[in-house]
Every structure is written in C-alpha cells, then in structure tokens.
Amino acid sequence: MRRFALLLAGGLLATSPVLAQSAVPYSAVRAINLARNTAIQLNGGLSSYRPAQCMFATASTGNPCLLANDSNGYTFRFQGGGPGWQVLNQPPTRETEIQISPDGRSVVQVIYNGSPR
C-alpha cells in the first residue's frame, strides 16, 4: 500500500503543472535593473532619490513603467523623488525616460531626465 501511495504521489507530481510566475526573460530583468540603477546614479544616489515603485517590479508587459519592448530594446518612463516620496504622497520631482538594449546589458540612450513633464 505504501509503495502504491509513493507511486501515485510521484505520478501526480510528474504530471501536475509547475506553478510559477509567467516567464519573464532574463533580458527584461536585467533591463529594468539597469534602467532603475542608472536613474538612481543620474539623480544623486539613494540618499537623495528613489525611483517609482513600478521600477522594482518585473519588466513584464503589465508594468506601467515599460513603454516599449521591441527590436530596439526596452524603453522605460518613470517618475522619482526624494526618499519616501510615494509613501508620503508627495509629488515626484524627477522624470526619467531611458532606452536599454534588447539584451538588457547596456544603456542605449537616456531620452529624458529632468523635471516631470
């Protein structure tokens, strides 16, 4: 009986679907991390700047900071401000638009980095 239970459990595990997040390409993860970190550097470091929360999520198609994901790479547009700006419900002080290479490894262009438009 025990052998049957083990076989049954093994069979169920082998045929059950894997429950995981939808696959986000490594290039998308690298791209959002590079875009976020570049904005942090451009705007004075973490002691004076924090990007919007959407830049800490995955670069999936549902991310509101991701403008485009095409053959030109990943384009992000997001706001930022002083530490705690979103939690404290303060207005953003910066806006960054940046294009990252398709492989997520290099900044193609900082399109805009300035006051919110």
Tab-separated table of all heavy atoms in Angstrom, residues 12-23:
chain	number	residue	atom	x	y	z
A	12	LEU	N	1.597	12.006	-9.761
A	12	LEU	CA	0.897	13.285	-9.713
A	12	LEU	C	1.862	14.449	-9.810
A	12	LEU	O	1.589	15.438	-10.479
A	12	LEU	CB	0.083	13.390	-8.415
A	12	LEU	CG	-1.161	12.511	-8.331
A	12	LEU	CD1	-1.795	12.629	-6.950
A	12	LEU	CD2	-2.159	12.879	-9.404
A	13	LEU	N	2.995	14.317	-9.138
A	13	LEU	CA	3.985	15.383	-9.205
A	13	LEU	C	4.555	15.520	-10.611
A	13	LEU	O	4.804	16.610	-11.092
A	13	LEU	CB	5.110	15.138	-8.206
A	13	LEU	CG	4.748	15.324	-6.742
A	13	LEU	CD1	5.931	14.923	-5.861
A	13	LEU	CD2	4.348	16.758	-6.456
A	14	ALA	N	4.742	14.407	-11.271
A	14	ALA	CA	5.331	14.437	-12.608
A	14	ALA	C	4.383	15.021	-13.636
A	14	ALA	O	4.820	15.602	-14.619
A	14	ALA	CB	5.747	13.026	-13.024
A	15	THR	N	3.074	14.871	-13.411
A	15	THR	CA	2.125	15.342	-14.411
A	15	THR	C	1.471	16.658	-14.046
A	15	THR	O	0.798	17.249	-14.873
A	15	THR	CB	1.011	14.292	-14.627
A	15	THR	OG1	0.339	14.089	-13.391
A	15	THR	CG2	1.576	12.994	-15.159
A	16	SER	N	1.648	17.141	-12.820
A	16	SER	CA	0.998	18.393	-12.439
A	16	SER	C	1.771	19.564	-13.028
A	16	SER	O	2.988	19.523	-13.156
A	16	SER	CB	0.908	18.514	-10.923
A	16	SER	OG	2.196	18.566	-10.367
A	17	PRO	N	1.056	20.629	-13.396
A	17	PRO	CA	1.747	21.788	-13.972
A	17	PRO	C	2.601	22.477	-12.919
A	17	PRO	O	2.294	22.468	-11.741
A	17	PRO	CB	0.599	22.698	-14.423
A	17	PRO	CG	-0.571	22.287	-13.606
A	17	PRO	CD	-0.368	20.824	-13.301
A	18	VAL	N	3.668	23.049	-13.364
A	18	VAL	CA	4.551	23.776	-12.469
A	18	VAL	C	3.896	25.119	-12.183
A	18	VAL	O	3.532	25.850	-13.086
A	18	VAL	CB	5.941	23.985	-13.108
A	18	VAL	CG1	6.813	24.847	-12.226
A	18	VAL	CG2	6.586	22.644	-13.386
A	19	LEU	N	3.753	25.417	-10.918
A	19	LEU	CA	3.157	26.687	-10.534
A	19	LEU	C	4.282	27.693	-10.335
A	19	LEU	O	4.998	27.653	-9.351
A	19	LEU	CB	2.346	26.531	-9.252
A	19	LEU	CG	1.172	25.568	-9.337
A	19	LEU	CD1	0.516	25.417	-7.970
A	19	LEU	CD2	0.169	26.038	-10.356
A	20	ALA	N	4.430	28.574	-11.292
A	20	ALA	CA	5.477	29.587	-11.225
A	20	ALA	C	4.964	30.846	-11.896
A	20	ALA	O	3.966	30.822	-12.603
A	20	ALA	CB	6.738	29.091	-11.934
A	21	GLN	N	5.694	31.928	-11.682
A	21	GLN	CA	5.333	33.159	-12.361
A	21	GLN	C	5.518	32.959	-13.855
A	21	GLN	O	6.320	32.140	-14.285
A	21	GLN	CB	6.232	34.302	-11.910
A	21	GLN	CG	6.002	34.732	-10.496
A	21	GLN	CD	6.916	35.895	-10.130
A	21	GLN	OE1	8.031	35.991	-10.629
A	21	GLN	NE2	6.432	36.758	-9.285
A	22	SER	N	4.745	33.705	-14.631
A	22	SER	CA	4.945	33.613	-16.070
A	22	SER	C	6.386	34.011	-16.356
A	22	SER	O	6.946	34.890	-15.716
A	22	SER	CB	3.967	34.527	-16.802
A	22	SER	OG	4.134	35.856	-16.375
A	23	ALA	N	6.960	33.343	-17.302
A	23	ALA	CA	8.383	33.531	-17.582
A	23	ALA	C	8.659	34.937	-18.101
A	23	ALA	O	8.108	35.363	-19.098
A	23	ALA	CB	8.844	32.496	-18.588
